[in-house]
Amino acid sequence: MDKLYLQKLCNVRLSSINRLYSTTTRTIKYPPSKPPPEKFLHLCSKGRITEAFKTFSSEVYSDPSLVSHLLKSCIQLNSLSLVQQLHSLIITSGFSSTRFVTNHLLNTYLKFGQSQTAHSLFDVMPKKNIMSYNILIGGFVQSGDLDTARKVFDEMPERNIATWNALIAGFTDFECNEEALRLFSEMHVLGFYPDEFTLGSVLRGCAGLKSLTSGQQVHAYAVKTGVQVNVIVGSSLAHMYIKSGSLSEGEKVIKSMPFHTVVAYNTLITGRVQSGSSEEALNQYYIMKMSGFKPDKITFVSILSSCSQLATLGQGQQIHAESIKSGATSSVSVLSSLVSMYSRCGCIQDSLKAFSETKIPDTVLWSSMIAAYGFHGMGKKALDLFNLMEKEELEPNNVTFLSLLYACSHCGLKDKGIEIFHLMKEKYKLEPQLEHYTCLVDLLGRFGHLEEAENVIRTMPVKADSIIWKTLLSACRIYKNADMAKRIGQEVIKVNPNDSASYILLSNIQASAKKWENVSDFRKEMRDRGVKKEPGVSWFEMKNEVHQFCMSDKSHKDSKKIDLYLKKLTLEMKLLGYKPDMGSVLHDMDLEEKEDDLVHHSEKLAIAFALMNTPDCVPIRVMKNLRVCNDCHVAIKYISAIKKREIIVRDASRFHHFKDGECSCGDYW
């Protein structure tokens, strides 16, 4: 709108708003509102505010409700200055006595994030109603100012269901879940009847707390009032059960719904991914499509995560193509998931390509790329990207620093890692979480600073879990510190007495020291507790079919051919200087048996199968559920040199890139 034109009309300074409100007391009566002129609405919808006002000024003065369309147009144009000019017009024209207009003005200021201006306007409004209070509360909730929202709520002379919904949803959105549940209880005591939006928010709060008991109580109320069949309530119920660890109950709720929606399918797919049932999540994705539902960006984020967990590149590429067709790749969250998926499938260049597809400066996307570099042992590239991130003035978060610490740990960048840890606390004022301390312990442990690493665990402000103790236990194994291992082992078992990995680590340390009696004791303790060792499994995807291998497994249809191939390959390796690392065999057996045991490790079986069935120019990508042993790590270097193939192995810790007899992770794997 033309500033000079409005200034002639208004002849008032915005700084005088409060004074004008207090002096404008007369009540103006307007004729009954008529439908807005179509041309006026058309001009407003196109953002042509000045033309709309000039052409229909007489209609605006006779029907103040038309100002609401001008205000909506300001939001569309993202012009705060136009809002301020219209505010002046509202005051000088006496429209401020029309509650409908002032409520729209209040809402408009909040849409622009002008909370303080909105609050000042609210204080001087001559007429307020519940809607006025609800608009103000909603604005403060959106800006995250829950304290002020609660204060306005407490000052309200009367409330309606929308008031309670706004505040409960706000507390839930900002993960103040206990406060949301208390407010819900207070609402019920005061005689307000929750609707589907109330229950949806409360159930999200129960999911955030993983409080199955509270969620079941809300479920009972929903059944009693007959709203459990509502799409919002049904989807929220399923989400609550799944987040609380009851996937089967969540599935029952969704199946009982009279009709399904994209939201319901997304809830089910996400639940299956989070519970580790990635194959079932993929099946549900295909059922969703066959049922005629179009996946949205939330669907793609979840299903790409399942491809990451399974490391199924073929399916990941197919879903990537589908996300492009649907336009979902315009979403930063989908791009971040693509970066992660390609990284987890061993395709770091494809991760970089997905990262480069948008110029939107987004912390989550950049953190995903930093994590991808770290996962592939490219610590320096991860640090370079972080430096660029700082130059772009993107605020790093906890995930960013976790990825950086991980990258430093696996690339031998001890000093840089410690510097990053302090930078996180001192410059960015982020409080390290347990995962950050675990990376720090890993970093120190890899360099033999075992006492310092133990001190970190015992003095950190968060409670230690079995993972951080196992991280130190692994370092004890590397540096053959049996005494410390015994002490740390007790801490691990105390925290999680049913974790097989802890017993295996302790057993391996004793086996390395040739203390077979102690090994037997640990294995007996495992049996007595009913703890079973997780078997080592490797898999290789070829033509969208996954081939799985276990140690000394004879179940594969080509097992005899693979065995012969490996024997010939081992002879070639020995001619180049390969010596089997008998220390990697943690059983008491003779040398010939030990060598045969090493030859048949699952990753070697998978690599042999891949070499036999793929063209020479194609990189081999093998996935393993456990850590690669030292012997296999050395052997794969020789294989990459003999066969002139790039071999990429993902184990439980990270990716290893083998090429021309070398590994990108060097000595820090």
Side-chain angles (χ1 to χ4, degrees):
M1 189 180 289
D2 189 336
K3 285 187 178 181
L4 290 174
Y5 178 77
L6 266 180
Q7 283 173 353
K8 288 176 183 177
L9 283 170
C10 304
N11 194 26
V12 64
R13 293 174 59 85
L14 285 172
S15 58
S16 305
I17 286 172
N18 287 350
R19 180 178 59 80
L20 284 168
Y21 257 120
S22 62
T23 57
T24 306
T25 55
R26 64 192 181 92
T27 303
I28 302 174
K29 294 184 179 180
Y30 298 95
S33 296
K34 295 181 293 184
E38 285 188 17
K39 187 178 179 183
F40 174 79
L41 293 178
H42 176 75
L43 292 170
C44 289
S45 69
K46 297 298 181 183
R48 292 154 67 179
I49 301 177
T50 302
E51 187 179 347
F53 183 78
K54 286 181 178 179
T55 306
F56 294 95
S57 58
S58 60
E59 283 85 351
V60 171
Y61 279 111
S62 63
D63 183 3
S65 67
L66 295 180
V67 175
S68 66
H69 298 286
L70 297 172
L71 288 168
K72 287 178 185 176
S73 192
C74 292
I75 296 171
Q76 181 184 328
L77 292 171
N78 195 31
S79 175
L80 178 60
S81 63
L82 288 177
V83 176
Q84 292 168 331
Q85 292 172 53
L86 283 171
H87 190 169
S88 299
L89 175 65
I90 289 167
I91 295 168
T92 55
S93 304
F95 295 166
S96 55
S97 63
T98 306
R99 193 163 49 206
F100 179 81
V101 174
T102 50
N103 278 347
H104 268 280
L105 180 61
L106 185 67
N107 182 59
T108 303
Y109 273 125
L110 290 167
K111 291 283 186 184
F112 279 91
Q114 300 291 310
S115 300
Q116 292 306 316
T117 304
H119 208 167
S120 299
L121 169 62
F122 177 83
D123 288 340
V124 296
M125 282 171 61
K127 293 182 179 180
K128 303 184 185 79
N129 60 1
I130 292 179
M131 179 65 75
S132 311
Y133 281 94
N134 288 353
I135 290 169
L136 190 61
I137 288 171
F140 282 118
V141 164
Q142 286 177 4
S143 65
D145 189 354
L146 298 180
D147 290 337
T148 306
R150 183 64 197 248
K151 186 179 177 184
V152 174
F153 175 86
D154 291 337
E155 292 171 353
M156 288 182 73
E158 69 176 300
R159 303 166 186 141
N160 61 14
I161 188 69
T163 317
W164 292 91
N165 284 351
L167 200 58
I168 291 172
F171 281 127
T172 306
D173 288 343
F174 286 92
E175 298 183 4
C176 302
N177 297 312
E178 291 179 353
E179 185 62 29
L181 293 183
R182 277 195 294 270
L183 200 62
F184 174 67
S185 178
E186 181 186 338
M187 170 189 182
H188 190 259
V189 169
L190 291 173
F192 287 89
Y193 293 99
D195 61 11
E196 64 268 28
F197 300 106
T198 324
L199 295 177
S201 296
V202 170
L203 286 166
R204 281 191 289 115
C206 295
L209 293 169
K210 296 183 179 178
S211 176
L212 186 59
T213 304
S214 298
Q216 287 170 329
Q217 290 173 353
V218 177
H219 189 178
Y221 179 86
V223 171
K224 184 179 177 182
T225 55
V227 296
Q228 83 276 9
V229 296
N230 178 274
V231 173
I232 295 172
V233 177
S235 297
S236 299
L237 271 170
H239 174 67
M240 180 277 297
Y241 277 118
I242 290 166
K243 285 284 284 184
S244 302
S246 186
L247 178 62
S248 59
E249 287 299 317
E251 290 180 346
K252 282 181 187 176
V253 170
I254 288 177
K255 287 175 183 176
S256 69
M257 291 169 67
F259 58 91
H260 289 169
T261 63
V262 172
V263 174
Y265 276 109
N266 285 347
T267 302
L268 198 51
I269 290 169
T270 303
R272 286 178 170 170
V273 173
Q274 290 174 348
S275 65
S277 305
S278 294
E279 288 184 11
E280 291 180 21
L282 278 166
N283 291 337
Q284 193 63 50
Y285 171 74
Y286 292 120
I287 290 170
M288 173 186 178
K289 290 204 303 174
M290 284 190 291
S291 300
F293 291 95
K294 291 184 178 179
D296 60 13
K297 64 181 181 181
I298 296 172
T299 320
F300 285 116
V301 168
S302 296
I303 207 64
L304 285 167
S305 178
S306 74
C307 293
S308 296
Q309 289 178 11
L310 294 169
T312 49
L313 179 60
Q315 286 175 313
Q317 289 170 326
Q318 182 181 333
I319 291 166
H320 184 184
E322 290 169 7
S323 70
I324 292 171
K325 288 178 185 176
S326 72
T329 49
S330 60
S331 166
V332 174
S333 59
V334 174
L335 286 175
S336 297
S337 298
L338 283 167
V339 168
S340 180
M341 183 274 292
Y342 279 119
S343 166
R344 294 274 170 175
C345 291
C347 305
I348 189 66
Q349 290 305 317
D350 288 316
S351 288
L352 186 58
K353 185 179 178 182
F355 171 74
S356 304
E357 282 182 7
T358 180
K359 300 298 179 184
I360 300 171
D362 181 80
T363 297
V364 174
L365 180 60
W366 283 59
S367 297
S368 296
M369 194 63 225
I370 289 171
Y373 278 137
F375 199 47
H376 283 263
M378 302 176 179
K380 290 182 179 177
K381 286 190 175 181
L383 290 168
D384 288 343
L385 190 58
F386 174 68
N387 292 334
L388 185 58
M389 186 177 180
E390 285 194 307
K391 287 179 183 177
E392 294 285 333
E393 297 183 350
L394 273 173
E395 192 79 11
N397 57 23
N398 279 314
V399 176
T400 315
F401 283 105
L402 183 62
S403 301
L404 285 167
L405 288 167
Y406 182 91
C408 291
S409 176
H410 285 269
C411 296
L413 303 171
K414 179 177 75 73
D415 294 337
K416 193 66 184 175
I418 293 171
E419 180 188 323
I420 289 290
F421 187 82
H422 291 304
L423 183 74
M424 173 187 180
K425 294 197 298 182
E426 292 165 11
K427 181 178 177 180
Y428 291 100
K429 309 301 179 188
L430 292 170
E431 198 60 39
Q433 298 169 352
L434 181 58
E435 294 83 2
H436 299 96
Y437 283 106
T438 302
C439 278
L440 182 62
V441 166
D442 187 45
L443 192 67
L444 294 168
R446 283 172 182 270
F447 282 85
H449 301 290
L450 304 183
E451 299 289 345
E452 189 179 345
E454 184 181 0
N455 185 56
V456 167
I457 299 175
R458 297 194 184 278
T459 59
M460 65 186 185
V462 290
K463 187 179 179 181
D465 65 355
S466 62
I467 295 173
I468 195 167
W469 284 118
K470 280 192 292 185
T471 300
L472 181 54
L473 194 59
S474 294
C476 293
R477 180 178 63 83
I478 294 168
Y479 288 95
K480 296 180 172 56
N481 191 328
D483 292 335
M484 179 180 274
K486 188 176 180 181
R487 183 173 71 251
I488 300 305
Q490 291 172 346
E491 297 285 357
V492 179
I493 293 171
K494 190 192 301 179
V495 176
N496 190 353
N498 296 315
D499 181 15
S500 64
S502 307
Y503 293 99
I504 299 303
L505 262 175
L506 286 164
S507 175
N508 290 353
I509 292 168
Q510 299 302 319
S512 296
K514 307 289 190 249
K515 296 180 179 179
W516 303 112
E517 219 176 280
N518 292 341
V519 172
S520 298
D521 289 340
F522 280 120
R523 295 187 186 278
K524 182 179 182 300
E525 190 175 351
M526 284 180 71
R527 286 194 300 272
D528 292 343
R529 289 181 181 271
V531 179
K532 293 184 179 180
K533 178 183 180 294
E534 182 182 5
V537 179
S538 296
W539 61 96
F540 171 72
E541 184 184 5
M542 185 174 70
K543 296 178 182 177
N544 284 336
E545 183 181 356
V546 176
H547 295 263
Q548 188 170 292
F549 302 88
C550 293
M551 182 175 170
S552 301
D553 184 17
K554 303 295 182 185
S555 62
H556 195 277
K557 60 184 178 68
D558 293 333
S559 61
K560 289 183 180 178
K561 293 179 183 178
I562 293 169
D563 192 47
L564 287 171
Y565 188 91
L566 272 174
K567 284 179 180 177
K568 291 178 183 178
L569 187 57
T570 302
L571 288 173
E572 289 184 72
M573 289 158 59
K574 285 181 176 179
L575 290 173
L576 289 179
Y578 164 70
K579 293 181 181 179
D581 180 8
M582 301 305 179
S584 294
V585 181
L586 302 168
H587 297 280
D588 190 14
M589 54 179 70
D590 61 40
L591 291 177
E592 189 175 339
E593 287 178 311
K594 284 186 176 184
E595 185 171 340
D596 186 68
D597 185 84
L598 289 173
V599 169
H600 293 92
H601 278 194
S602 65
E603 54 267 58
K604 287 176 183 162
L605 295 173
I607 290 169
F609 175 79
L611 288 168
M612 292 164 59
N613 290 280
T614 57
D616 293 342
C617 57
V618 177
I620 293 170
R621 292 180 174 85
V622 168
M623 312 297 161
K624 185 177 181 180
N625 63 330
L626 303 177
R627 289 284 297 270
V628 172
C629 75
N630 183 64
D631 177 76
C632 285
H633 195 267
V634 172
I636 300 169
K637 286 184 182 180
Y638 280 97
I639 294 170
S640 70
I642 292 167
K643 296 299 180 181
K644 294 181 171 51
R645 297 287 289 274
E646 182 181 3
I647 303 172
I648 302 161
V649 179
R650 188 185 100 178
D651 68 7
S653 177
R654 51 157 295 169
F655 270 99
H656 309 267
H657 291 256
F658 300 90
K659 192 174 182 180
D660 300 326
E662 298 293 334
C663 181
S664 62
C665 57
D667 297 323
Y668 301 102
W669 62 280

